[in-house]
Amino acid sequence: MLSDNEHIEGLFPEAAQNWDLNRLYADLQAASGKEIKPFEKACLRGLLCRYRPGQLAFKLAWTSGALRVELNKGLYRSLEAIADQPINTLRWEKVPEWLEAKGYKAQRQSLHDPAVNSSTSSQTNLADWGEAPNIQTFYGRIEEIAKLEQWIVGDRCHLLAICGMGGIGKTALAVKLVENIQSQFDCLIWRSLRGAQPTAQLIADLLQFLNHSQQTGFSISDLLEVLRQKRCLIVLDDFEATLQDGELVGAYRQGCELYAELLQRVGAERHQSSLILIGREQPKEISMHQGEDQPIRYYKVNGLQRQGAFELLRARGFKGSENGLDALIQQYRGNPSALRIVAGTIQELFNGNVSEFLKQTALALGDVLRTLLYQQFERLSKLEKDVLYWLAIKHRPVSLSTLRSEMNLQASGSELIDALESLRWRSLIEKISEQGEVMFLLEPVVLKYVSRQFVEEVNKEITAIAMQQNLKSINLLQSHVLVEDRAPDSIRAMQIRLVLKPIKDKLNKAIAKNNIELDSLRELLASHQQTKPTEGTSYTEVNLALIGLWW
């Protein structure tokens, strides 16, 4: 097993391909007057590769808060100094821009220059791993890799999308796949689209490497011609960054619209190459044309199977014989990020006692997993969020007809179907069949996050009602019921404990803090509700009665 320093020094090696790290380290040390620490070097490399601070904390096995404190004390201030920026103005996303302006970005000609590659191209395959992470430990997924190898090498698949929720292990799986099949291709190039790189810029970058050309402004047709002449493997990570936030899956950001044409043509036209996409969302160009008998394939990455999950937990200090390990893996559906986080919690707070941890009523998400889910949740349309809230409230599989009858929808039934389909493409809901009827539900990790998010949003509405003494800010209290009348007793008890009680507690605190007279507030709300027109089903009165704001 690697030591902590060896692990830290191995993080984000791709930064060395684009940046003069030795000069950066030296200048940062001169600016601070102190030796730059290994974790600071790792964070710098991660920032240069456009990783968020929360992702850096996860890689370093720190909490987000602790890392933020340390970076604010040291690295951030030194970066401001060498970039000639005012103190306390650093934003993590600006670091690459600042340092590039100061000349720290290295030239990548060694990868593209024909003179450099001419002596080796006949003996070795050309490879540019770009921003691909260095995966030093990998657990399970043997059958999955074998299946994907067959698709790419055996079936000569043109276009493969590897998708799944954040933290599920998509990129690690893709790295191991590419390592296995790299020798089958003349050229390999890996790029991250984390910065929503415009299509034209990406095409120029790909051609610059694949065709040894220093020109820019090439077209998709020029790229396809190269893919016919050579057997190339192109990997595009973080593909969801090219898609528009706040809408159903499928719409592209401004400047990224031509990715749709790129996917369509790579999937449909004749050539001998393969393009692998990695992302949290399945592009519609994949979903519309993928199939086992087609050159376009889609693979959804789920959690680790039992053996792989046991290997991961053993690497975190468990022997594999502890009581409760199988239940722990099932509770988190084998999600590797969740298991890493919870393994640390069990070791530190429960002395490695898994059964004692499982007696706790709540799933532990951890800062990093919450950050990943937050990023994905914030990309959703309002209708998608409303659907997730309903599935979280229901706490059990729900049919389309039940959702349609209970949701306060201004949208048509077809728009609800589109929203459910979009959520499945984002890997945020699961689908099962019960007695021949399709049912939708949330896996435990997503359920935990969405439930907490729902309570937080309703608490904001409750606070606004108490302070403003009217219903102008009401939204979720009108469109979503807090406790179901006809739900099974066990579900009602859970809704009362996890939803209603924390909301009532929040209301009571707001009333006490602001010395609000409850009966007067009830009268004001009743008069306001009588004058407020409602469209369709409204849960306002029943919810206000549940929390004690209605007669």
Side-chain angles (χ1 to χ4, degrees):
M1 182 180 291
L2 294 173
S3 68
D4 286 345
N5 278 345
E6 287 174 328
H7 167 69
I8 290 173
E9 289 170 0
L11 292 174
F12 316 115
E14 61 270 26
Q17 298 181 19
N18 297 312
W19 300 90
D20 188 347
L21 293 180
N22 290 332
R23 185 161 69 93
L24 260 174
Y25 296 154
D27 289 353
L28 287 168
Q29 186 167 320
S32 65
K34 302 176 184 177
E35 183 176 355
I36 183 170
K37 299 174 183 177
F39 86 87
E40 292 178 312
K41 291 181 179 180
C43 287
L44 172 62
R45 294 193 299 270
L47 291 171
L48 293 174
C49 295
R50 299 190 182 279
Y51 283 85
R52 297 173 181 268
Q55 294 170 311
L56 301 182
F58 174 66
K59 295 283 187 179
L60 291 166
W62 287 38
T63 66
S64 297
L67 183 63
R68 183 168 57 249
V69 169
E70 290 299 317
L71 293 179
N72 276 318
K73 287 194 301 187
L75 180 63
Y76 285 174
R77 305 291 79 82
S78 300
L79 285 169
E80 289 165 348
I82 69 171
D84 295 328
Q85 298 292 331
I87 191 169
N88 293 326
T89 60
L90 184 141
R91 288 163 43 201
W92 67 267
E93 65 269 25
K94 287 290 186 181
V95 170
E97 179 183 321
W98 284 3
L99 296 182
E100 183 175 4
K102 289 296 179 180
Y104 288 103
K105 191 158 190 179
Q107 298 297 317
R108 299 171 62 180
Q109 291 179 348
S110 60
L111 287 171
H112 301 147
D113 191 344
V116 174
N117 291 307
S118 59
S119 62
T120 60
S121 61
S122 61
Q123 301 172 9
T124 62
N125 295 342
L126 200 60
D128 179 352
W129 281 89
E131 300 85 0
N134 181 22
I135 305 297
Q136 298 183 356
T137 55
F138 187 76
Y139 306 104
R141 304 201 187 277
I142 296 173
E143 294 180 356
E144 295 173 67
I145 289 179
K147 180 176 186 176
L148 297 176
E149 280 188 35
Q150 173 60 35
W151 284 1
I152 295 290
V153 178
D155 299 348
R156 310 281 284 194
C157 178
H158 287 177
L159 182 58
L160 167 64
I162 299 176
C163 301
M165 65 177 290
I168 203 68
K170 304 178 296 295
T171 300
L173 174 64
V175 166
K176 290 304 173 184
L177 168 66
V178 173
E179 287 176 350
N180 286 2
I181 65 176
Q182 178 185 352
S183 62
Q184 303 294 320
F185 292 85
D186 302 322
C187 307
L188 157 68
I189 183 168
W190 183 298
R191 289 291 180 265
S192 169
L193 301 178
R194 194 178 300 118
Q197 190 176 16
T199 319
Q201 186 178 333
L202 174 74
I203 297 297
D205 183 26
L206 296 178
L207 284 170
Q208 186 180 14
F209 174 71
L210 297 173
N211 209 28
H212 304 306
S213 173
Q214 298 300 316
Q215 292 177 272
T216 60
F218 286 111
S219 67
I220 295 174
S221 295
D222 294 313
L223 177 62
L224 263 295
E225 185 58 36
V226 174
L227 300 187
R228 295 185 190 99
Q229 295 170 2
K230 302 176 183 179
R231 183 149 165 74
C232 306
L233 179 59
I234 301 172
V235 185
L236 301 180
D237 199 359
D238 303 297
F239 192 80
E240 72 276 359
T242 67
L243 300 172
Q244 187 67 46
D245 292 351
E247 297 184 17
L248 300 182
V249 169
Y252 286 89
R253 291 179 181 271
Q254 185 175 1
C256 296
E257 296 90 347
L258 287 178
Y259 279 106
E261 180 185 346
L262 173 64
L263 300 191
Q264 290 167 355
R265 295 186 62 182
V266 168
E269 295 188 17
R270 289 179 178 268
H271 57 82
Q272 57 175 326
S273 301
S274 295
L275 170 60
I276 298 176
L277 306 179
I278 310 167
R280 300 177 187 179
E281 302 170 10
Q282 181 186 172
K284 65 180 181 181
E285 292 77 21
I286 302 289
S287 60
M288 292 169 60
H289 302 291
Q290 62 90 22
E292 292 286 341
D293 60 344
Q294 298 296 319
I296 301 174
R297 306 283 171 88
Y298 164 71
Y299 187 77
K300 180 185 177 182
V301 182
N302 294 307
L304 294 171
Q305 295 295 319
R306 182 176 184 273
Q307 185 59 38
F310 264 82
E311 291 174 11
L312 185 155
L313 291 171
R314 276 193 287 266
R316 291 297 186 277
F318 294 95
K319 296 177 181 178
S321 58
E322 291 88 350
N323 291 330
L325 279 186
D326 279 309
L328 180 72
I329 293 166
Q330 177 58 29
Q331 188 176 61
Y332 287 90
R333 296 294 195 272
N335 184 303
S337 295
L339 289 175
R340 287 189 186 96
I341 293 166
V342 78
T345 301
I346 294 171
Q347 294 289 10
E348 293 176 16
L349 302 183
F350 296 86
N351 199 28
N353 190 324
V354 180
S355 297
E356 189 64 28
F357 170 80
L358 290 174
K359 292 178 183 178
Q360 309 304 308
T361 58
L363 276 74
L365 294 183
D367 288 347
V368 176
L369 197 55
R370 270 195 294 270
T371 299
L372 292 172
L373 290 167
Y374 169 80
Q375 292 168 357
Q376 199 156 0
F377 190 81
E378 289 305 301
R379 293 180 57 83
L380 305 180
S381 67
K382 182 182 182 303
L383 180 55
E384 287 174 299
K385 290 180 180 179
D386 284 343
V387 171
L388 290 185
Y389 287 146
W390 268 108
L391 292 177
I393 292 166
K394 290 286 188 179
H395 225 88
R396 61 195 186 277
V398 183
S399 68
L400 172 62
S401 59
T402 299
L403 276 175
R404 183 183 287 121
S405 67
E406 296 197 14
M407 288 182 69
N408 181 22
L409 282 178
Q410 302 303 317
S412 67
S414 64
E415 286 179 308
L416 176 58
I417 293 172
D418 291 342
L420 288 166
E421 188 172 49
S422 181
L423 288 167
R424 288 200 66 225
W425 290 353
R426 297 184 197 270
S427 304
L428 286 175
I429 63 173
E430 297 181 349
K431 182 181 75 171
I432 61 172
S433 179
E434 288 188 358
Q435 299 179 340
E437 187 173 22
V438 174
M439 312 285 278
F440 301 94
L441 71 159
L442 305 178
E443 68 166 74
V445 169
V446 178
L447 174 62
K448 169 73 175 181
Y449 177 82
V450 175
S451 297
R452 178 179 294 181
Q453 191 74 14
F454 177 74
V455 170
E456 288 180 359
E457 291 301 316
V458 173
N459 280 341
K460 292 177 184 177
E461 294 184 21
I462 289 295
T463 302
I465 289 172
M467 296 299 295
Q468 300 168 5
Q469 301 198 7
N470 60 47
L471 298 175
K472 291 181 180 179
S473 301
I474 201 168
N475 178 23
L476 294 179
L477 283 170
Q478 178 178 322
S479 60
H480 294 71
V481 70
L482 300 180
V483 178
E484 296 177 87
D485 281 338
R486 301 176 185 176
D489 290 345
S490 60
I491 297 294
R492 279 179 53 81
M494 192 173 299
Q495 291 169 345
I496 291 170
R497 186 179 78 252
L498 299 181
V499 179
L500 183 60
K501 185 180 183 303
I503 291 171
K504 290 184 72 172
D505 290 345
K506 184 72 173 182
L507 173 64
N508 292 334
K509 288 178 183 178
I511 288 174
K513 181 179 179 181
N514 296 282
N515 297 316
I516 297 172
E517 212 285 313
L518 186 56
D519 287 343
S520 298
L521 177 58
R522 287 170 175 162
E523 291 179 1
L524 284 170
L525 297 182
S527 62
H528 186 271
Q529 177 67 359
Q530 290 173 1
T531 60
K532 183 178 179 180
T534 59
E535 296 183 20
T537 304
S538 174
Y539 297 98
T540 303
E541 293 184 8
V542 66
N543 284 334
L544 292 179
L546 284 168
I547 61 179
L549 287 179
W550 204 252
W551 298 102

